[in-house]
Amino acid sequence: MSLLFLLPSFVFFSLFALADAQIATRDVPPPQTLVIPLSMHTSQVYSVKVNMSSNASPQSFSFALSTSTAITTVAGADCDSCGGVPSYNPSASSSVQQLPQAQNVSTLNGTASGAVVREYCGLLQSNGSAWVYPNQTVTVANQSASFFSPGVSGMIGVGLAPFVDSPAANWLAQNPTQPTFSFGMALNSPSNFSTDGGVLHWLQPDPSFYQGDIAWKPMLAANASIPSNRSSWFVEMDAWSVSGGSSSFNISQSGTELLTLLDPFYSTIVFPQSSARAIYADIPGASKHATSAFAHSWKLPCDSKFRLTVTFGTFSTSLDQTSLVVKQADGVCVGALQEWIDASATEYLLGSPFIAVLYLIFSYSQQGNGSVGVAARIPASNKLSPGALAGVILGTVAVVALLIIAGVLLYFTFLRRSAKAPHKRKLSKTDVTPFPSDFTESTSSRRSLRPNNYNGQQQGEPWSPDWQTTLLSESTPSPSPNTNTFPGGTTYGTQSSHAYYRTEVDSSPSLIHLDSPPPYAIPPGASPVPLLPLRKNRQPS
Ligand SMILES: *[C@@H]1O[C@H](CO)[C@@H](O)[C@H](O)[C@H]1NC(C)=O
Ligand SMILES: *[C@@H]1O[C@H](CO)[C@@H](O)[C@H](O)[C@H]1NC(C)=O
Ligand SMILES: *[C@@H]1O[C@H](CO)[C@@H](O)[C@H](O)[C@H]1NC(C)=O
Ligand SMILES: *[C@@H]1O[C@H](CO)[C@@H](O)[C@H](O)[C@H]1NC(C)=O
Ligand SMILES: *[C@@H]1O[C@H](CO)[C@@H](O)[C@H](O)[C@H]1NC(C)=O
Ligand SMILES: *[C@@H]1O[C@H](CO)[C@@H](O)[C@H](O)[C@H]1NC(C)=O
Ligand SMILES: *[C@@H]1O[C@H](CO)[C@@H](O)[C@H](O)[C@H]1NC(C)=O
Ligand SMILES: *[C@@H]1O[C@H](CO)[C@@H](O)[C@H](O)[C@H]1NC(C)=O
Ligand SMILES: *[C@@H]1O[C@H](CO)[C@@H](O)[C@H](O)[C@H]1NC(C)=O
Ligand SMILES: *[C@@H]1O[C@H](CO)[C@@H](O)[C@H](O)[C@H]1NC(C)=O
Ligand SMILES: *[C@@H]1O[C@H](CO)[C@@H](O)[C@H](O)[C@H]1NC(C)=O
């Protein structure tokens, strides 16, 4: 009898808990989704259209989308070094407010600087209307270097910091009852030479574009005093692995702080040198190719087959050679995965080739804390049918379940009026933001870019997959300095918390070309699991 009573009330409470956690409870209705179209330029820059000024004929610009910063920058009319892009003339606007300060803005490519203004802006929606955001802080560049690309007059920063300059902060201040400012990002692949770059779902992500759970990661503020900082924020990636076609190799890393930036502004994926070199050492015919402002690339045979899998919490996604091997106009095939020029950089950059395979959500709280949600994208081709179908089925199941629960509850309520109080629960008025409960602690304790020891069982990551834990328990941390030298590579650093793994499944020697015999060779024919940690100080067995 008591069991019969407990079961439905448990289900009932769980449903409320679920509602509390996933659909942030609001005093006010959530905002409507606005569809912001993204254009793609030949330089693989994803851009939005922004109108500046409240004049009858505003000045209209294309702005590159970046999540690294929260600063918006536009080329000023008096800028001689801004590449001749269409420029903004503050004196032609009646709504401009000049601010006394100047601002420097940098990307991995270059810099721009100039005076700061506040301006009445409108972000163009797909139906031709503008989402108006007045009093937006804008840096009006009067000088720049490698910052602007042809036809693109600036950059709209929708990242974490400096938060006061963000369009999100502006909107949250005007909508104090809204718990968060969120937007979803569904990019089209950069390798698809189309001018349609995809869409942003502004103010409210669109669930018909993704399926399964969203894995949320708190945005960790970058420590500006670390010279290799790449961004104003990072999230922690839980693991990555690269495996070769027909399982010829498998390199993976997990169990350490893998600080990762997700920014569609960059059309590459950049790994630390040791990781990238370990990967390309296993790809037959790969060789160093070119150097950009911040990364080295490899060229490789156009028929190379390999797969990169990245894990954030419960979410894993894979890219294969269709995204990882890019055929240039000259017929040379280049790897989308590159390495930092800076040998000391330990961060990971996942740019547009990666972002285009998933659905990304950025969410900022009234306090300016951010979190990134990653979810599986529903492919455009079958987006409507299975998604809608799943929704209908789930909806039906939920309604039936609720009816049964309500019936059972009603029955017990009438049967045992005295026992009514304990399960009568009102939805809390407290706004619930989609941050893990330990977010504060996690943010403050993880500001440093230096990887801390990470034991995989961190609170706030209850979604850590089992295999990761298993791996970690096998890698007994070594007290001696760990230098993880890879073929043709350099040392990874001095931290002892890094753990690389490599399994060679059916490894035929002809498939793997090593420059020198690795000191850590794993006997061929080893079964895929368990994976052995790669350590220089490990005796070859
Ligand atoms: C944006 O500015 C252009 C150029 O002034 C104008 O033609 C267009 O109507 C504006 N769009 C909106 C939505 O205000
Ligand atoms: C911008 O950079 C220049 C040169 O690096 C420096 O002199 C100037 O102080 C910087 N300005 C600001 C506002 O940070
Ligand atoms: C750009 O603007 C800044 C601040 O307004 C000023 O100090 C600097 O001299 C200007 N530079 C050029 C090249 O005009
Ligand atoms: C465009 O969409 C927005 C949001 O749905 C709506 O408020 C606006 O009225 C629409 N504009 C037009 C011209 O249909
Ligand atoms: C924008 O700034 C002006 C001048 O400071 C102020 O009068 C106006 O109320 C502000 N608007 C918003 C929406 O904050
Ligand atoms: C490129 O775009 C076309 C049409 O929009 C689409 O069918 C195709 O799947 C896209 N390819 C990639 C790699 O995204
Ligand atoms: C990186 O750190 C430097 C100081 O070393 C700071 O000036 C810069 O703004 C930081 N970059 C970002 C993107 O936060
Ligand atoms: C490669 O290793 C990772 C981590 O051990 C594992 O999750 C993945 O399934 C492996 N991939 C293949 C193709 O064996
Ligand atoms: C940044 O640099 C890379 C490589 O140097 C280049 O491909 C890309 O177009 C640049 N992006 C911008 C916006 O200048
Ligand atoms: C947001 O960050 C601030 C510090 O910047 C911290 O005090 C606050 O507790 C954080 N809020 C949440 C919800 O994590
Ligand atoms: C940034 O790093 C420096 C040097 O590692 C450290 O002293 C400082 O406390 C860090 N700052 C924050 C905010 O974490």
Side-chain angles (χ1 to χ4, degrees), residues 240-244 247 249-252 307 309 467 471 501 503 505 528-529 531:
W240 61 264
S241 70
V242 174
S243 59
S247 300
F249 68 89
N250 187 356
I251 301 173
S252 63
R307 176 175 288 273
T309 303
W467 60 266
L471 279 178
Y501 302 89
T503 44
V505 190
V529 280
L531 301 172

mmCIF file with all atom_site columns, all heavy atoms in Angstrom, residues 240-244 247 249-252 307 309 467 471 501 503 505 528-529 531, ligand 8:
data_model
loop_
_atom_site.group_PDB
_atom_site.id
_atom_site.type_symbol
_atom_site.label_atom_id
_atom_site.label_alt_id
_atom_site.label_comp_id
_atom_site.label_asym_id
_atom_site.label_entity_id
_atom_site.label_seq_id
_atom_site.pdbx_PDB_ins_code
_atom_site.Cartn_x
_atom_site.Cartn_y
_atom_site.Cartn_z
_atom_site.occupancy
_atom_site.B_iso_or_equiv
_atom_site.pdbx_formal_charge
_atom_site.auth_seq_id
_atom_site.auth_comp_id
_atom_site.auth_asym_id
_atom_site.auth_atom_id
_atom_site.pdbx_PDB_model_num
ATOM   1   N N   . TRP A 1 240 ? 38.828 13.489 -26.294 1.00 0.00 ? 240 TRP A N   1
ATOM   2   C CA  . TRP A 1 240 ? 38.819 13.417 -27.755 1.00 0.00 ? 240 TRP A CA  1
ATOM   3   C C   . TRP A 1 240 ? 39.526 12.133 -28.161 1.00 0.00 ? 240 TRP A C   1
ATOM   4   O O   . TRP A 1 240 ? 40.349 11.604 -27.399 1.00 0.00 ? 240 TRP A O   1
ATOM   5   C CB  . TRP A 1 240 ? 39.483 14.632 -28.411 1.00 0.00 ? 240 TRP A CB  1
ATOM   6   C CG  . TRP A 1 240 ? 40.922 14.852 -28.074 1.00 0.00 ? 240 TRP A CG  1
ATOM   7   C CD1 . TRP A 1 240 ? 41.419 15.684 -27.111 1.00 0.00 ? 240 TRP A CD1 1
ATOM   8   C CD2 . TRP A 1 240 ? 42.080 14.245 -28.697 1.00 0.00 ? 240 TRP A CD2 1
ATOM   9   N NE1 . TRP A 1 240 ? 42.786 15.623 -27.092 1.00 0.00 ? 240 TRP A NE1 1
ATOM   10  C CE2 . TRP A 1 240 ? 43.221 14.749 -28.056 1.00 0.00 ? 240 TRP A CE2 1
ATOM   11  C CE3 . TRP A 1 240 ? 42.235 13.327 -29.726 1.00 0.00 ? 240 TRP A CE3 1
ATOM   12  C CZ2 . TRP A 1 240 ? 44.523 14.368 -28.405 1.00 0.00 ? 240 TRP A CZ2 1
ATOM   13  C CZ3 . TRP A 1 240 ? 43.535 12.940 -30.082 1.00 0.00 ? 240 TRP A CZ3 1
ATOM   14  C CH2 . TRP A 1 240 ? 44.656 13.464 -29.418 1.00 0.00 ? 240 TRP A CH2 1
ATOM   15  N N   . SER A 1 241 ? 39.206 11.660 -29.345 1.00 0.00 ? 241 SER A N   1
ATOM   16  C CA  . SER A 1 241 ? 39.966 10.536 -29.893 1.00 0.00 ? 241 SER A CA  1
ATOM   17  C C   . SER A 1 241 ? 39.978 10.661 -31.408 1.00 0.00 ? 241 SER A C   1
ATOM   18  O O   . SER A 1 241 ? 39.071 11.239 -32.002 1.00 0.00 ? 241 SER A O   1
ATOM   19  C CB  . SER A 1 241 ? 39.373 9.189  -29.456 1.00 0.00 ? 241 SER A CB  1
ATOM   20  O OG  . SER A 1 241 ? 38.138 8.964  -30.083 1.00 0.00 ? 241 SER A OG  1
ATOM   21  N N   . VAL A 1 242 ? 41.051 10.199 -32.000 1.00 0.00 ? 242 VAL A N   1
ATOM   22  C CA  . VAL A 1 242 ? 41.144 10.162 -33.460 1.00 0.00 ? 242 VAL A CA  1
ATOM   23  C C   . VAL A 1 242 ? 41.460 8.732  -33.837 1.00 0.00 ? 242 VAL A C   1
ATOM   24  O O   . VAL A 1 242 ? 42.397 8.136  -33.296 1.00 0.00 ? 242 VAL A O   1
ATOM   25  C CB  . VAL A 1 242 ? 42.241 11.119 -33.989 1.00 0.00 ? 242 VAL A CB  1
ATOM   26  C CG1 . VAL A 1 242 ? 42.422 10.944 -35.488 1.00 0.00 ? 242 VAL A CG1 1
ATOM   27  C CG2 . VAL A 1 242 ? 41.893 12.569 -33.671 1.00 0.00 ? 242 VAL A CG2 1
ATOM   28  N N   . SER A 1 243 ? 40.649 8.172  -34.717 1.00 0.00 ? 243 SER A N   1
ATOM   29  C CA  . SER A 1 243 ? 40.928 6.805  -35.136 1.00 0.00 ? 243 SER A CA  1
ATOM   30  C C   . SER A 1 243 ? 41.036 6.756  -36.646 1.00 0.00 ? 243 SER A C   1
ATOM   31  O O   . SER A 1 243 ? 40.380 7.518  -37.356 1.00 0.00 ? 243 SER A O   1
ATOM   32  C CB  . SER A 1 243 ? 39.843 5.854  -34.639 1.00 0.00 ? 243 SER A CB  1
ATOM   33  O OG  . SER A 1 243 ? 38.601 6.257  -35.135 1.00 0.00 ? 243 SER A OG  1
ATOM   34  N N   . GLY A 1 244 ? 41.889 5.866  -37.125 1.00 0.00 ? 244 GLY A N   1
ATOM   35  C CA  . GLY A 1 244 ? 42.144 5.753  -38.549 1.00 0.00 ? 244 GLY A CA  1
ATOM   36  C C   . GLY A 1 244 ? 41.146 4.860  -39.227 1.00 0.00 ? 244 GLY A C   1
ATOM   37  O O   . GLY A 1 244 ? 40.460 4.072  -38.567 1.00 0.00 ? 244 GLY A O   1
ATOM   38  N N   . SER A 1 247 ? 40.303 1.051  -38.519 1.00 0.00 ? 247 SER A N   1
ATOM   39  C CA  . SER A 1 247 ? 40.863 0.946  -37.159 1.00 0.00 ? 247 SER A CA  1
ATOM   40  C C   . SER A 1 247 ? 42.374 0.765  -37.138 1.00 0.00 ? 247 SER A C   1
ATOM   41  O O   . SER A 1 247 ? 42.904 0.020  -36.319 1.00 0.00 ? 247 SER A O   1
ATOM   42  C CB  . SER A 1 247 ? 40.205 -0.201 -36.400 1.00 0.00 ? 247 SER A CB  1
ATOM   43  O OG  . SER A 1 247 ? 38.833 0.024  -36.312 1.00 0.00 ? 247 SER A OG  1
ATOM   44  N N   . PHE A 1 249 ? 44.594 2.921  -36.306 1.00 0.00 ? 249 PHE A N   1
ATOM   45  C CA  . PHE A 1 249 ? 45.163 3.526  -35.103 1.00 0.00 ? 249 PHE A CA  1
ATOM   46  C C   . PHE A 1 249 ? 44.050 4.189  -34.313 1.00 0.00 ? 249 PHE A C   1
ATOM   47  O O   . PHE A 1 249 ? 42.953 4.422  -34.830 1.00 0.00 ? 249 PHE A O   1
ATOM   48  C CB  . PHE A 1 249 ? 46.262 4.533  -35.436 1.00 0.00 ? 249 PHE A CB  1
ATOM   49  C CG  . PHE A 1 249 ? 45.772 5.773  -36.129 1.00 0.00 ? 249 PHE A CG  1
ATOM   50  C CD1 . PHE A 1 249 ? 45.346 6.885  -35.397 1.00 0.00 ? 249 PHE A CD1 1
ATOM   51  C CD2 . PHE A 1 249 ? 45.718 5.853  -37.508 1.00 0.00 ? 249 PHE A CD2 1
ATOM   52  C CE1 . PHE A 1 249 ? 44.887 8.025  -36.018 1.00 0.00 ? 249 PHE A CE1 1
ATOM   53  C CE2 . PHE A 1 249 ? 45.260 7.002  -38.147 1.00 0.00 ? 249 PHE A CE2 1
ATOM   54  C CZ  . PHE A 1 249 ? 44.849 8.077  -37.401 1.00 0.00 ? 249 PHE A CZ  1
ATOM   55  N N   . ASN A 1 250 ? 44.323 4.469  -33.087 1.00 0.00 ? 250 ASN A N   1
ATOM   56  C CA  . ASN A 1 250 ? 43.352 5.147  -32.229 1.00 0.00 ? 250 ASN A CA  1
ATOM   57  C C   . ASN A 1 250 ? 44.126 5.909  -31.156 1.00 0.00 ? 250 ASN A C   1
ATOM   58  O O   . ASN A 1 250 ? 44.789 5.320  -30.325 1.00 0.00 ? 250 ASN A O   1
ATOM   59  C CB  . ASN A 1 250 ? 42.397 4.118  -31.601 1.00 0.00 ? 250 ASN A CB  1
ATOM   60  C CG  . ASN A 1 250 ? 41.262 4.794  -30.837 1.00 0.00 ? 250 ASN A CG  1
ATOM   61  O OD1 . ASN A 1 250 ? 41.226 6.016  -30.718 1.00 0.00 ? 250 ASN A OD1 1
ATOM   62  N ND2 . ASN A 1 250 ? 40.364 3.989  -30.292 1.00 0.00 ? 250 ASN A ND2 1
ATOM   63  N N   . ILE A 1 251 ? 44.083 7.225  -31.220 1.00 0.00 ? 251 ILE A N   1
ATOM   64  C CA  . ILE A 1 251 ? 44.762 8.062  -30.229 1.00 0.00 ? 251 ILE A CA  1
ATOM   65  C C   . ILE A 1 251 ? 43.679 8.778  -29.449 1.00 0.00 ? 251 ILE A C   1
ATOM   66  O O   . ILE A 1 251 ? 42.728 9.280  -30.045 1.00 0.00 ? 251 ILE A O   1
ATOM   67  C CB  . ILE A 1 251 ? 45.654 9.113  -30.920 1.00 0.00 ? 251 ILE A CB  1
ATOM   68  C CG1 . ILE A 1 251 ? 46.695 8.424  -31.783 1.00 0.00 ? 251 ILE A CG1 1
ATOM   69  C CG2 . ILE A 1 251 ? 46.318 10.023 -29.914 1.00 0.00 ? 251 ILE A CG2 1
ATOM   70  C CD1 . ILE A 1 251 ? 47.487 9.390  -32.610 1.00 0.00 ? 251 ILE A CD1 1
ATOM   71  N N   . SER A 1 252 ? 43.813 8.837  -28.155 1.00 0.00 ? 252 SER A N   1
ATOM   72  C CA  . SER A 1 252 ? 42.779 9.537  -27.408 1.00 0.00 ? 252 SER A CA  1
ATOM   73  C C   . SER A 1 252 ? 43.372 10.238 -26.204 1.00 0.00 ? 252 SER A C   1
ATOM   74  O O   . SER A 1 252 ? 44.484 9.934  -25.770 1.00 0.00 ? 252 SER A O   1
ATOM   75  C CB  . SER A 1 252 ? 41.686 8.570  -26.968 1.00 0.00 ? 252 SER A CB  1
ATOM   76  O OG  . SER A 1 252 ? 42.217 7.621  -26.088 1.00 0.00 ? 252 SER A OG  1
ATOM   77  N N   . ARG A 1 307 ? 38.825 9.723  -38.305 1.00 0.00 ? 307 ARG A N   1
ATOM   78  C CA  . ARG A 1 307 ? 37.633 10.219 -37.624 1.00 0.00 ? 307 ARG A CA  1
ATOM   79  C C   . ARG A 1 307 ? 38.038 10.834 -36.299 1.00 0.00 ? 307 ARG A C   1
ATOM   80  O O   . ARG A 1 307 ? 38.808 10.244 -35.541 1.00 0.00 ? 307 ARG A O   1
ATOM   81  C CB  . ARG A 1 307 ? 36.692 9.026  -37.409 1.00 0.00 ? 307 ARG A CB  1
ATOM   82  C CG  . ARG A 1 307 ? 35.442 9.303  -36.625 1.00 0.00 ? 307 ARG A CG  1
ATOM   83  C CD  . ARG A 1 307 ? 34.560 8.071  -36.612 1.00 0.00 ? 307 ARG A CD  1
ATOM   84  N NE  . ARG A 1 307 ? 33.952 7.841  -37.910 1.00 0.00 ? 307 ARG A NE  1
ATOM   85  C CZ  . ARG A 1 307 ? 32.796 8.393  -38.298 1.00 0.00 ? 307 ARG A CZ  1
ATOM   86  N NH1 . ARG A 1 307 ? 32.117 9.169  -37.485 1.00 0.00 ? 307 ARG A NH1 1
ATOM   87  N NH2 . ARG A 1 307 ? 32.317 8.161  -39.495 1.00 0.00 ? 307 ARG A NH2 1
ATOM   88  N N   . THR A 1 309 ? 36.586 12.153 -32.741 1.00 0.00 ? 309 THR A N   1
ATOM   89  C CA  . THR A 1 309 ? 35.422 12.108 -31.853 1.00 0.00 ? 309 THR A CA  1
ATOM   90  C C   . THR A 1 309 ? 35.710 12.983 -30.647 1.00 0.00 ? 309 THR A C   1
ATOM   91  O O   . THR A 1 309 ? 36.790 12.900 -30.057 1.00 0.00 ? 309 THR A O   1
ATOM   92  C CB  . THR A 1 309 ? 35.135 10.662 -31.411 1.00 0.00 ? 309 THR A CB  1
ATOM   93  O OG1 . THR A 1 309 ? 34.951 9.872  -32.576 1.00 0.00 ? 309 THR A OG1 1
ATOM   94  C CG2 . THR A 1 309 ? 33.883 10.593 -30.555 1.00 0.00 ? 309 THR A CG2 1
ATOM   95  N N   . TRP A 1 467 ? 33.427 4.749  -19.579 1.00 0.00 ? 467 TRP A N   1
ATOM   96  C CA  . TRP A 1 467 ? 34.708 4.293  -20.106 1.00 0.00 ? 467 TRP A CA  1
ATOM   97  C C   . TRP A 1 467 ? 35.842 5.203  -19.683 1.00 0.00 ? 467 TRP A C   1
ATOM   98  O O   . TRP A 1 467 ? 36.962 4.785  -19.494 1.00 0.00 ? 467 TRP A O   1
ATOM   99  C CB  . TRP A 1 467 ? 34.668 4.151  -21.620 1.00 0.00 ? 467 TRP A CB  1
ATOM   100 C CG  . TRP A 1 467 ? 34.354 5.394  -22.364 1.00 0.00 ? 467 TRP A CG  1
ATOM   101 C CD1 . TRP A 1 467 ? 33.137 5.799  -22.793 1.00 0.00 ? 467 TRP A CD1 1
ATOM   102 C CD2 . TRP A 1 467 ? 35.266 6.411  -22.752 1.00 0.00 ? 467 TRP A CD2 1
ATOM   103 N NE1 . TRP A 1 467 ? 33.235 6.994  -23.427 1.00 0.00 ? 467 TRP A NE1 1
ATOM   104 C CE2 . TRP A 1 467 ? 34.527 7.398  -23.422 1.00 0.00 ? 467 TRP A CE2 1
ATOM   105 C CE3 . TRP A 1 467 ? 36.655 6.575  -22.608 1.00 0.00 ? 467 TRP A CE3 1
ATOM   106 C CZ2 . TRP A 1 467 ? 35.127 8.539  -23.934 1.00 0.00 ? 467 TRP A CZ2 1
ATOM   107 C CZ3 . TRP A 1 467 ? 37.235 7.719  -23.128 1.00 0.00 ? 467 TRP A CZ3 1
ATOM   108 C CH2 . TRP A 1 467 ? 36.467 8.684  -23.777 1.00 0.00 ? 467 TRP A CH2 1
ATOM   109 N N   . LEU A 1 471 ? 39.273 4.179  -17.826 1.00 0.00 ? 471 LEU A N   1
ATOM   110 C CA  . LEU A 1 471 ? 40.587 4.528  -18.320 1.00 0.00 ? 471 LEU A CA  1
ATOM   111 C C   . LEU A 1 471 ? 41.431 5.143  -17.230 1.00 0.00 ? 471 LEU A C   1
ATOM   112 O O   . LEU A 1 471 ? 42.587 4.804  -17.051 1.00 0.00 ? 471 LEU A O   1
ATOM   113 C CB  . LEU A 1 471 ? 40.455 5.572  -19.427 1.00 0.00 ? 471 LEU A CB  1
ATOM   114 C CG  . LEU A 1 471 ? 40.112 5.049  -20.791 1.00 0.00 ? 471 LEU A CG  1
ATOM   115 C CD1 . LEU A 1 471 ? 39.978 6.201  -21.738 1.00 0.00 ? 471 LEU A CD1 1
ATOM   116 C CD2 . LEU A 1 471 ? 41.204 4.116  -21.242 1.00 0.00 ? 471 LEU A CD2 1
ATOM   117 N N   . TYR A 1 501 ? 46.521 8.070  -24.867 1.00 0.00 ? 501 TYR A N   1
ATOM   118 C CA  . TYR A 1 501 ? 46.347 6.645  -25.053 1.00 0.00 ? 501 TYR A CA  1
ATOM   119 C C   . TYR A 1 501 ? 46.421 6.349  -26.531 1.00 0.00 ? 501 TYR A C   1
ATOM   120 O O   . TYR A 1 501 ? 45.975 7.123  -27.352 1.00 0.00 ? 501 TYR A O   1
ATOM   121 C CB  . TYR A 1 501 ? 44.977 6.194  -24.541 1.00 0.00 ? 501 TYR A CB  1
ATOM   122 C CG  . TYR A 1 501 ? 44.763 6.521  -23.089 1.00 0.00 ? 501 TYR A CG  1
ATOM   123 C CD1 . TYR A 1 501 ? 44.210 7.741  -22.718 1.00 0.00 ? 501 TYR A CD1 1
ATOM   124 C CD2 . TYR A 1 501 ? 45.128 5.626  -22.117 1.00 0.00 ? 501 TYR A CD2 1
ATOM   125 C CE1 . TYR A 1 501 ? 44.035 8.046  -21.388 1.00 0.00 ? 501 TYR A CE1 1
ATOM   126 C CE2 . TYR A 1 501 ? 44.944 5.917  -20.783 1.00 0.00 ? 501 TYR A CE2 1
ATOM   127 C CZ  . TYR A 1 501 ? 44.396 7.126  -20.419 1.00 0.00 ? 501 TYR A CZ  1
ATOM   128 O OH  . TYR A 1 501 ? 44.215 7.423  -19.109 1.00 0.00 ? 501 TYR A OH  1
ATOM   129 N N   . THR A 1 503 ? 45.848 2.928  -29.068 1.00 0.00 ? 503 THR A N   1
ATOM   130 C CA  . THR A 1 503 ? 45.722 1.494  -29.294 1.00 0.00 ? 503 THR A CA  1
ATOM   131 C C   . THR A 1 503 ? 45.929 1.259  -30.763 1.00 0.00 ? 503 THR A C   1
ATOM   132 O O   . THR A 1 503 ? 45.494 2.043  -31.600 1.00 0.00 ? 503 THR A O   1
ATOM   133 C CB  . THR A 1 503 ? 44.329 0.965  -28.917 1.00 0.00 ? 503 THR A CB  1
ATOM   134 O OG1 . THR A 1 503 ? 43.365 1.862  -29.414 1.00 0.00 ? 503 THR A OG1 1
ATOM   135 C CG2 . THR A 1 503 ? 44.186 0.808  -27.434 1.00 0.00 ? 503 THR A CG2 1
ATOM   136 N N   . VAL A 1 505 ? 44.981 -1.302 -33.378 1.00 0.00 ? 505 VAL A N   1
ATOM   137 C CA  . VAL A 1 505 ? 44.161 -2.475 -33.642 1.00 0.00 ? 505 VAL A CA  1
ATOM   138 C C   . VAL A 1 505 ? 44.574 -3.032 -34.989 1.00 0.00 ? 505 VAL A C   1
ATOM   139 O O   . VAL A 1 505 ? 44.613 -2.294 -35.971 1.00 0.00 ? 505 VAL A O   1
ATOM   140 C CB  . VAL A 1 505 ? 42.676 -2.071 -33.664 1.00 0.00 ? 505 VAL A CB  1
ATOM   141 C CG1 . VAL A 1 505 ? 41.814 -3.306 -33.692 1.00 0.00 ? 505 VAL A CG1 1
ATOM   142 C CG2 . VAL A 1 505 ? 42.354 -1.213 -32.466 1.00 0.00 ? 505 VAL A CG2 1
ATOM   143 N N   . PRO A 1 528 ? 41.586 -3.729 -28.487 1.00 0.00 ? 528 PRO A N   1
ATOM   144 C CA  . PRO A 1 528 ? 41.263 -2.309 -28.363 1.00 0.00 ? 528 PRO A CA  1
ATOM   145 C C   . PRO A 1 528 ? 41.148 -1.849 -26.912 1.00 0.00 ? 528 PRO A C   1
ATOM   146 O O   . PRO A 1 528 ? 41.465 -0.733 -26.612 1.00 0.00 ? 528 PRO A O   1
ATOM   147 C CB  . PRO A 1 528 ? 39.913 -2.179 -29.074 1.00 0.00 ? 528 PRO A CB  1
ATOM   148 C CG  . PRO A 1 528 ? 39.628 -3.477 -29.708 1.00 0.00 ? 528 PRO A CG  1
ATOM   149 C CD  . PRO A 1 528 ? 40.616 -4.469 -29.270 1.00 0.00 ? 528 PRO A CD  1
ATOM   150 N N   . VAL A 1 529 ? 40.667 -2.654 -26.017 1.00 0.00 ? 529 VAL A N   1
ATOM   151 C CA  . VAL A 1 529 ? 40.620 -2.294 -24.608 1.00 0.00 ? 529 VAL A CA  1
ATOM   152 C C   . VAL A 1 529 ? 41.297 -3.399 -23.807 1.00 0.00 ? 529 VAL A C   1
ATOM   153 O O   . VAL A 1 529 ? 41.258 -4.547 -24.198 1.00 0.00 ? 529 VAL A O   1
ATOM   154 C CB  . VAL A 1 529 ? 39.160 -2.118 -24.116 1.00 0.00 ? 529 VAL A CB  1
ATOM   155 C CG1 . VAL A 1 529 ? 38.622 -0.780 -24.514 1.00 0.00 ? 529 VAL A CG1 1
ATOM   156 C CG2 . VAL A 1 529 ? 38.293 -3.256 -24.592 1.00 0.00 ? 529 VAL A CG2 1
ATOM   157 N N   . LEU A 1 531 ? 43.066 0.310  -22.776 1.00 0.00 ? 531 LEU A N   1
ATOM   158 C CA  . LEU A 1 531 ? 44.043 1.174  -23.419 1.00 0.00 ? 531 LEU A CA  1
ATOM   159 C C   . LEU A 1 531 ? 45.202 1.407  -22.462 1.00 0.00 ? 531 LEU A C   1
ATOM   160 O O   . LEU A 1 531 ? 45.015 1.556  -21.268 1.00 0.00 ? 531 LEU A O   1
ATOM   161 C CB  . LEU A 1 531 ? 43.385 2.508  -23.760 1.00 0.00 ? 531 LEU A CB  1
ATOM   162 C CG  . LEU A 1 531 ? 42.202 2.352  -24.685 1.00 0.00 ? 531 LEU A CG  1
ATOM   163 C CD1 . LEU A 1 531 ? 41.494 3.673  -24.827 1.00 0.00 ? 531 LEU A CD1 1
ATOM   164 C CD2 . LEU A 1 531 ? 42.660 1.862  -26.032 1.00 0.00 ? 531 LEU A CD2 1
HETATM 165 C C1  . LIG B 2 .   ? 39.266 4.956  -29.715 1.00 0.00 ? 8   LIG B C1  1
HETATM 166 O O1  . LIG B 2 .   ? 39.506 5.121  -28.327 1.00 0.00 ? 8   LIG B O1  1
HETATM 167 C C2  . LIG B 2 .   ? 38.453 5.772  -27.620 1.00 0.00 ? 8   LIG B C2  1
HETATM 168 C C3  . LIG B 2 .   ? 38.893 5.979  -26.211 1.00 0.00 ? 8   LIG B C3  1
HETATM 169 O O2  . LIG B 2 .   ? 39.432 4.839  -25.676 1.00 0.00 ? 8   LIG B O2  1
HETATM 170 C C4  . LIG B 2 .   ? 37.185 4.947  -27.734 1.00 0.00 ? 8   LIG B C4  1
HETATM 171 O O3  . LIG B 2 .   ? 36.133 5.606  -27.070 1.00 0.00 ? 8   LIG B O3  1
HETATM 172 C C5  . LIG B 2 .   ? 36.837 4.784  -29.188 1.00 0.00 ? 8   LIG B C5  1
HETATM 173 O O4  . LIG B 2 .   ? 35.704 3.967  -29.323 1.00 0.00 ? 8   LIG B O4  1
HETATM 174 C C6  . LIG B 2 .   ? 37.990 4.163  -29.954 1.00 0.00 ? 8   LIG B C6  1
HETATM 175 N N1  . LIG B 2 .   ? 37.658 4.183  -31.368 1.00 0.00 ? 8   LIG B N1  1
HETATM 176 C C7  . LIG B 2 .   ? 37.804 3.131  -32.150 1.00 0.00 ? 8   LIG B C7  1
HETATM 177 C C8  . LIG B 2 .   ? 37.400 3.309  -33.568 1.00 0.00 ? 8   LIG B C8  1
HETATM 178 O O5  . LIG B 2 .   ? 38.270 2.092  -31.734 1.00 0.00 ? 8   LIG B O5  1
#
